[in-house]
Amino acid sequence: MDILGSLDVSVSGMTKLVWPRLLLYVVPAQYTGMLIPVSRCVQALAERGDLMVREVEDLDPHFLSSMFQGPLLTPQTLLARLLVVAGSPFAGSELQAAALLLMLNLHSKIHRAVGAMWATEIPLLLQCLEGKDESFPDSAGWEQRLLKFLRASLGTMEDEAWTKGLSCELSRWLSSSPSSSGEKSFLYKALGTVLGACKEVLHIQEKLLQHLEEANAEEPSEAQGMISLLSHAAESNFHTALDTLTMFASRLCRGQNGRSSRRKKMELDSRRAQATRSALILAHGSLALRASKEQLLARLEGDIVGNILLLYSCSCRDLQNTLALVQSITDFSSAFQAVGGSACFNPSLKGKLLEILTELLKKYYLGTPVSPVPLKVVLALEQLSKLKPSLGAKDMCDMLSLCCKNVVLHPSAEMMLKIRKSQQAAQYLQLLQASLKALGRLMVVLLETETSGFFQNIVHRSMTSDNMWERKRALQICSQLLAACEERGRGDACKHFGSLVGLLAPLTCDPMPTSRQLAVTCLSSLLRIQAKATNGVIQTGDIGSLCEGLNDRRTVCQLQTSSKIARTVYRNFPLEDTIDFMMAIKDTFRKAKGMRVRAAGRWLITFLQMHGKDICRDVPLTNYILRSCTSSPQHSTFMPFLSQAVVILTRCQAGITTDSFFPAALSPQTVRHGGE
């Protein structure tokens, strides 16, 4: 490489003798580093004009056998090698640039039709490598840009024989590359792209089947390669790719349920065969995402979904195949939703898919805590539920109940601690967040048909849970629901204003900072919904401006801020919701501990101070609620607040005495001490 770097290309004979031979070093993978000095030599010769087309007789006699005419270096071989180097994330930008420059300078030797296009596009690709184009900052974006360039080049050539030759060359490279090769992932995509540009159906099927059979799907990179190969080929040859996939899938399932030899059954049950089925299930979902509206409507139910269910029925139902099924349902459901318009999905088929997904939720509920299956099922249900015809309210409620058990109530606090210490913590927690958002969106769908008892039935239990992660998850769902109600102008949440305030109030002092902020977000949405429903104006502004005080680590500051928020909420509080509010506060007194109890007490006292004189008709029920709190095992924690509440009520309401609030076992001294 040092010698090549110091060559003087002005020396007589350089054009005829040296550079054609140097190109032979471009092809073998072990000489990849030679691309840089070779590219410089060729660039210098191009600038001198020595690469112009000349008569063959003027060149070195060995040129014919070494440059494009012999078996070692055809135009397709050269382009395949340069593309692979340019697309490899491990090559480095200098090598990638050298490969692109060689393509640019040798365009006439590769194909006569690409000169003008490459003169425009390759400099733009070089700018991407140099970081001047910020729209493609990562390797995935670069790879996508390069494949787009390849598609456009083949379209410019319009040369079927040449394109078939390139596909054969890429196929040869792919077959000889080990699974560990960093180039193999790009080779799958490049070959799929070239097959997408071919027109001969038999040739496309032959190459697809060859590499589907050769791939070892037990290797994750190989399984992804199979999916990439089919997906890229389907962009321009959708029906051919799907027909080939159907043909290969039927081979894997043939004899699984019928009579076949013992050896054949062993092959079908092997780990490799199971992994291949999983990859094929995923490939069907990927093809659905690439299909046009006409293609998808014509082939989705009978071929894509039918093949997925066939492959799943033949699989061993392990984690890999289950995840593949769930992901494929998510993919084709979102694809159908995107292009389907007013089209309806087959109701019986939709029912069957929903049954499979709900059975998975039941199977995994309280099962393996770190399993991603129930979380991904929620993502799939979100997409599937959007397909017409819509689900009935009862079916939707049943489904949501199962989802909540798997996503909101589970995992437990102890298991969350174990998960956070595991190696897969970040991946699992990210998936959990995505599932929570999907569950929130699923609940929003229910808003269109059903709202009665909605918030209480879905959210109430988790907001008063001892599990702080469960409370946080419930708050995330609640914030999404209230935001959806606000956006849609739905005043249904106002029916539960009192109970929601009572549930959210203690959570403004939750141990988790995120939960405190979410509680305030929910209260802010609730106030805006209330104001809109009553054509009123929120008095004293938005409580969101008080959030900063809740971030203070000092509990005194948190309680003071919580009390300020309470006063803002109570200025807009409908007194007809007093009993619902008191019942929710009672639940906190009975179930909660620590700061949440203190916050609930502050909110109770603030409410009575502001509205004690205005709740005459609710005093008997308030008396009953306060009295029932004394039976709680935690009553000593909130007794000071309870005593103070009694004192406020006796001062506000004539004829009410402290004896009517407390059991005989409680002495007047206790009450007086609490009031003080």
Side-chain angles (χ1 to χ4, degrees):
M1 288 178 64
D2 290 340
I3 294 172
L4 286 173
S6 62
L7 281 176
D8 181 2
V9 295
S10 65
V11 174
S12 176
M14 177 69 73
T15 305
K16 293 192 291 185
L17 183 64
V18 179
W19 79 267
R21 288 193 171 87
L22 292 181
L23 285 178
L24 294 178
Y25 288 96
V26 172
V27 179
Q30 65 266 35
Y31 298 129
T32 299
M34 289 287 190
L35 273 176
I36 296 172
V38 169
S39 178
R40 288 174 183 161
C41 286
V42 173
Q43 176 73 13
L45 291 167
E47 290 171 355
R48 280 178 43 195
D50 285 349
L51 293 182
M52 301 299 291
V53 178
R54 298 185 176 204
E55 294 296 327
V56 173
E57 292 80 8
D58 291 340
L59 298 175
D60 182 88
H62 293 288
F63 178 82
L64 291 176
S65 61
S66 63
M67 183 62 182
F68 302 122
Q69 301 299 318
L72 293 176
L73 192 62
T74 64
Q76 291 93 334
T77 305
L78 180 61
L79 180 59
R81 183 60 187 154
L82 295 176
L83 276 172
V84 169
V85 174
S88 173
F90 308 104
S93 59
E94 191 177 8
L95 264 176
Q96 290 173 308
L100 289 173
L101 283 170
L102 273 173
M103 289 168 60
L104 179 60
N105 290 315
L106 298 175
H107 65 84
S108 62
K109 308 296 183 184
I110 294 175
H111 198 281
R112 63 185 179 277
V114 296
M117 180 208 160
W118 284 12
T120 302
E121 292 296 325
I122 289 180
L124 296 177
L125 292 172
L126 290 169
Q127 287 182 11
C128 289
L129 286 177
E130 294 168 4
K132 295 179 181 178
D133 186 349
E134 296 181 358
S135 61
F136 296 95
D138 57 6
S139 59
W142 166 250
E143 193 176 72
Q144 187 177 358
R145 180 74 177 263
L146 197 59
L147 291 171
K148 183 180 179 182
F149 165 77
L150 174 59
R151 267 193 305 274
S153 299
L154 296 173
T156 301
M157 293 176 189
E158 294 184 332
D159 189 335
E160 175 71 7
W162 200 98
T163 302
K164 282 175 61 179
L166 181 59
S167 70
C168 291
E169 190 58 42
L170 287 168
S171 174
R172 185 183 66 79
W173 275 92
L174 183 59
S175 295
S176 61
S177 297
S179 299
S180 57
S181 170
E183 302 171 342
K184 197 158 191 180
S185 172
F186 182 77
L187 276 166
Y188 272 116
K189 295 169 187 173
L191 177 58
T193 300
V194 175
L195 290 175
C198 289
K199 294 180 174 58
E200 188 180 321
V201 172
L202 291 178
H203 175 75
I204 298 168
Q205 289 185 330
E206 177 190 348
K207 291 302 175 187
L208 288 176
L209 286 172
Q210 174 190 340
H211 292 288
L212 290 175
E213 290 169 351
E214 289 179 0
N216 180 10
E218 289 183 84
E219 296 283 344
S221 60
E222 291 279 287
Q224 184 56 51
M226 296 167 67
I227 298 167
S228 298
L229 174 68
L230 288 161
S231 299
H232 284 81
E235 285 196 2
S236 300
N237 280 310
F238 175 79
H239 293 294
T240 302
L242 182 54
D243 290 342
T244 308
L245 182 54
T246 301
M247 189 189 313
F248 189 65
S250 65
R251 291 182 190 176
L252 276 177
C253 296
R254 189 182 301 148
Q256 186 75 15
N257 300 317
R259 292 183 178 181
S260 59
S261 66
R262 182 177 180 183
R263 180 180 177 182
K264 181 67 176 177
K265 284 191 174 183
M266 288 178 66
E267 290 177 359
L268 293 171
D269 291 334
S270 68
R271 290 178 59 185
R272 180 167 176 172
Q274 296 290 351
T276 302
R277 290 190 191 98
S278 175
L280 296 184
I281 290 173
L282 288 169
H284 281 86
S286 183
L287 258 64
L289 291 171
R290 305 267 181 157
S292 67
K293 179 178 180 179
E294 293 73 19
Q295 291 167 343
L296 194 64
L297 293 178
R299 305 291 299 269
L300 178 62
E301 294 174 0
D303 296 307
I304 294 177
V305 180
N307 288 348
I308 288 171
L309 293 176
L310 174 64
L311 287 163
Y312 185 65
S313 68
C314 297
S315 71
C316 62
R317 313 291 174 89
D318 61 0
L319 179 63
Q320 184 181 16
N321 281 293
T322 300
L323 286 174
L325 171 72
V326 174
Q327 185 60 52
S328 67
I329 293 175
T330 304
D331 289 342
F332 72 66
S333 297
S334 59
F336 185 83
Q337 181 195 351
V339 305
S342 59
C344 285
F345 192 77
N346 186 309
S348 61
L349 193 55
K350 182 178 179 179
K352 185 173 184 178
L353 293 169
L354 284 170
E355 182 182 350
I356 292 172
L357 292 175
T358 51
E359 284 301 317
L360 287 174
L361 284 179
K362 292 175 183 177
K363 175 183 176 182
Y364 280 90
Y365 174 53
L366 295 180
T368 307
V370 293
S371 173
V373 171
L375 305 182
K376 293 211 169 189
V377 167
V378 173
L379 298 177
L381 284 170
E382 180 201 0
Q383 298 300 326
L384 188 61
S385 65
K386 294 177 182 177
L387 305 187
K388 299 175 183 179
S390 301
L391 294 175
K394 183 180 182 305
D395 291 336
M396 181 66 83
C397 283
D398 292 343
M399 182 177 71
L400 286 175
S401 177
L402 267 176
C403 290
C404 283
K405 288 179 180 178
N406 281 274
V407 178
V408 179
L409 307 184
H410 191 64
S412 65
E414 295 79 7
M415 196 52 63
M416 281 296 294
L417 289 173
K418 293 180 181 178
I419 290 169
R420 291 169 73 90
K421 294 177 182 178
S422 68
Q423 293 181 346
Q424 296 82 21
Q427 184 179 1
Y428 181 82
L429 293 174
Q430 184 179 8
L431 180 58
L432 181 59
Q433 289 302 309
S435 302
L436 280 167
K437 291 179 181 178
L439 179 55
R441 292 190 293 266
L442 262 177
M443 289 183 170
V444 170
V445 174
L446 187 60
L447 281 175
E448 305 299 330
T449 55
E450 174 71 24
T451 55
S452 177
F454 185 75
F455 290 98
Q456 291 166 312
N457 293 337
I458 300 296
V459 177
H460 190 137
R461 172 186 167 183
S462 294
M463 282 191 176
T464 56
S465 169
D466 286 337
N467 182 350
M468 62 180 178
W469 283 286
E470 183 180 334
R471 294 196 301 272
K472 176 186 171 184
R473 295 192 287 263
L475 282 167
Q476 287 178 281
I477 298 289
C478 187
S479 66
Q480 283 183 264
L481 290 172
L482 290 172
C485 285
E486 185 180 353
E487 181 183 343
R488 288 164 171 73
R490 299 289 295 269
D492 307 83
C494 296
K495 297 177 182 178
H496 311 285
F497 189 94
S499 59
L500 277 172
V501 170
L503 290 169
L504 292 166
L507 298 177
T508 57
C509 290
D510 194 90
M512 296 187 78
T514 307
S515 294
R516 298 197 289 269
Q517 300 297 327
L518 284 168
V520 176
T521 300
C522 291
L523 287 167
S524 297
S525 292
L526 197 57
L527 286 178
R528 288 192 294 270
I529 294 169
Q530 172 78 358
K532 191 170 183 179
T534 58
N535 295 319
V537 178
I538 302 174
Q539 298 182 35
T540 69
D542 187 4
I543 61 175
S545 59
L546 299 171
C547 283
E548 188 175 346
L550 296 178
N551 292 329
D552 199 305
R553 293 186 178 182
R554 294 172 297 174
T555 57
V556 173
C557 186
Q558 290 179 24
L559 287 168
Q560 289 174 347
T561 303
S562 182
S563 296
K564 291 178 183 177
I565 293 171
R567 284 190 284 273
T568 301
V569 172
Y570 293 148
R571 289 188 184 98
N572 304 274
F573 192 91
L575 294 179
E576 60 269 21
D577 290 337
T578 296
I579 296 303
D580 290 341
F581 167 73
M582 297 290 287
M583 290 293 290
I585 286 289
K586 182 193 78 168
D587 279 353
T588 299
F589 280 155
R590 292 172 63 86
K591 299 176 183 178
K593 299 175 183 177
M595 283 289 288
R596 285 185 294 142
V597 174
R598 295 174 66 183
R602 288 288 187 98
W603 279 66
L604 173 63
I605 298 305
T606 304
F607 178 78
L608 294 176
Q609 287 172 341
M610 294 178 68
H611 296 296
K613 294 180 180 179
D614 306 318
I615 57 171
C616 301
R617 65 184 182 84
D618 293 323
V619 167
L621 278 174
T622 303
N623 175 10
Y624 169 76
I625 292 168
L626 293 175
R627 184 184 177 112
S628 66
C629 290
T630 61
S631 62
S632 169
Q634 305 290 334
H635 76 273
S636 60
T637 306
F638 57 81
M639 187 56 70
F641 300 109
L642 202 57
S643 302
Q644 191 176 352
V646 171
V647 171
I648 294 171
L649 281 174
T650 55
R651 290 173 180 171
C652 292
Q653 301 290 336
I656 297 179
T657 65
T658 57
D659 292 339
S660 62
F661 285 93
F662 292 98
L666 292 177
S667 66
Q669 288 80 7
T670 304
V671 177
R672 284 197 296 273
H673 177 73
E676 293 169 4

